Amino acid sequence: MGRTRAYLTQPASLEVHLRTCRALDAYTQRAGGSRWSLRGLVDSPVAPRDVADMLAFDTAIEVSQAPAVVDGRLLTCLWIARNSPDRLPARHIRDEVFHEIQRVRAYQRELESLFHEQASAMLDRARDHGLSLVCNDPFGDWGFGAVDVEMFVRLLTHFFFVDPATAHRMAHGHGYSTGGNYVFGMNGPDGRMMCVFVMAVWPWGLEPTYTIIDRTQLEPIVDLSVASVLMLLANALVVDRHGPDTLVIGEANSLNARPCIQAGFEPLPPVFYDGDHPVHTNVVWADNPLGDFGAPYGSLTRIPGYSEVPYTNYAVGVLAPHKAEPYRDTALEFLTARRG
């Protein structure tokens, strides 16, 4: 995808972050790439416009940030990225994405007072349908080897451009992040996996990623967001293990923003600053191609270009831990149902 992702594994000064951004930008231009991003920890929040002015690029950069408690220290997770000019959205698309995120944020506010009532009803329906939770847990406490690896690999390589070898490593807890990753699955009453969800461990906290539904398995279930149930139960488990101060930050496209909200995530407000050094906050532009890449999975030999297939825009959001915390015992109950 012409994309370079970089991560700082230790807290660093803003100067180090900006120096690394300049190096990434130079490398991307030399290599003919179209996007780079850098994530890491800094001591305190920074003004996005200050970041843009210090980098002094003539096209928009993305800046997102959130507080992160690491080893008892309050730090800031800082995420900076830049697309090549041809991969930046036209003004009308930018406006459409802005208004869509605002609509999603309005939905989240409307749900606020009813969140636990709706979550409890959703979990009751999941019980009635006989759903159960499985996990490939790098630490082993919630199980390992229970997730259908072949189905996971098929889904991941079919809808995202991930090679089968990397998908297999991810299924076993490696290959995506510096600290390993969880793979959660939601099984139907017949024991077949219906949906998967990956939660990656980073120095600043956790990243929810790759929520994928096998729609061929959903036909009997029309009154329930299986993805929301899976994410809510997974969120409850990781908040219990890693602590309520742990930052859980990721991105969601328009297809899964509402299920994410039903699972306890809250989208951050987008702000677009124009001028000599433009900066866009809490959005991720054209991050990856998303779609049907054909069968058999893993058969593509070349990443489709930005001009060839639709690339997806995302909103940045964080988990509200108090929304997931009450469902820890319920999550263990759904895990127990699988073992029984």
Side-chain angles (χ1 to χ4, degrees), residues 78-301:
L78 180 61
W79 183 353
I80 305 173
R82 187 188 187 203
N83 279 1
S84 59
D86 70 328
R87 200 159 150 177
L88 285 170
R91 175 64 71 113
H92 74 279
I93 295 176
R94 191 181 87 173
D95 291 344
E96 287 172 6
V97 171
F98 176 84
H99 291 303
E100 175 59 27
I101 297 174
Q102 294 296 65
R103 286 192 290 271
V104 167
R105 282 172 51 79
Y107 169 74
Q108 181 247 310
R109 290 191 295 270
E110 291 169 5
L111 185 63
E112 197 71 25
S113 62
L114 301 172
F115 180 85
H116 291 297
E117 178 183 336
Q118 292 199 11
S120 296
M122 181 172 66
L123 293 169
D124 286 342
R125 291 196 297 276
R127 286 191 193 90
D128 293 342
H129 283 293
L131 305 189
S132 57
L133 179 67
V134 291
C135 181
N136 280 4
D137 175 9
F139 303 96
D141 296 339
W142 304 327
F144 204 89
V147 170
D148 185 332
V149 172
E150 290 306 312
M151 181 176 286
F152 174 78
V153 171
R154 175 174 62 81
L155 290 173
L156 189 59
T157 59
H158 190 77
F159 291 106
F160 294 88
F161 201 93
V162 177
D163 65 273
T166 298
H168 273 281
R169 288 197 300 273
M170 286 177 59
H172 294 95
H174 305 285
Y176 182 83
S177 59
T178 58
N181 62 264
Y182 302 95
V183 180
F184 294 94
M186 189 102 265
N187 285 2
D190 60 358
R192 298 180 65 182
M193 197 164 71
M194 311 168 68
C195 184
V196 295
F197 176 50
V198 176
M199 187 79 82
V201 182
W202 295 100
W204 52 85
L206 295 155
E207 177 191 3
T209 184
Y210 294 125
T211 307
I212 316 172
I213 296 171
D214 185 347
R215 298 197 177 276
T216 65
Q217 304 296 321
L218 290 182
E219 187 175 343
I221 299 178
V222 296
D223 63 340
L224 182 65
S225 170
V226 174
S228 298
V229 174
L230 175 57
M231 287 189 287
L232 178 61
L233 296 175
N235 289 342
L237 289 174
V238 298
V239 166
D240 181 67
R241 171 176 287 172
H242 293 271
D245 291 332
T246 299
L247 174 63
V248 182
I249 184 169
E251 55 194 74
N253 60 37
S254 58
L255 295 175
N256 61 13
R258 283 170 174 77
C260 286
I261 287 170
Q262 293 167 5
F265 293 104
E266 298 181 350
L268 298 175
V271 181
F272 302 151
Y273 299 105
D274 293 315
D276 292 337
H277 306 135
V279 56
H280 304 159
T281 70
N282 300 325
V283 292
V284 180
W285 296 124
D287 190 35
N288 59 258
L290 177 67
D292 184 344
F293 291 138
Y297 62 80
S299 61
L300 282 187
T301 58

Side-chain angles (χ1 to χ4, degrees), residues 29-87:
Q29 291 190 43
R30 287 196 308 272
S34 57
R35 178 179 173 82
W36 59 262
S37 65
L38 175 68
R39 280 186 270 184
L41 290 162
V42 294
D43 287 333
S44 57
V46 294
R49 281 186 286 189
D50 289 347
V51 173
D53 288 340
M54 286 184 280
L55 288 173
F57 295 137
D58 57 1
T59 58
I61 63 170
E62 302 162 13
V63 176
S64 301
Q65 57 189 323
V69 177
V70 180
D71 297 329
R73 294 175 60 195
L74 179 59
L75 301 170
T76 295
C77 173
L78 180 61
W79 183 353
I80 305 173
R82 187 188 187 203
N83 279 1
S84 59
D86 70 328
R87 200 159 150 177

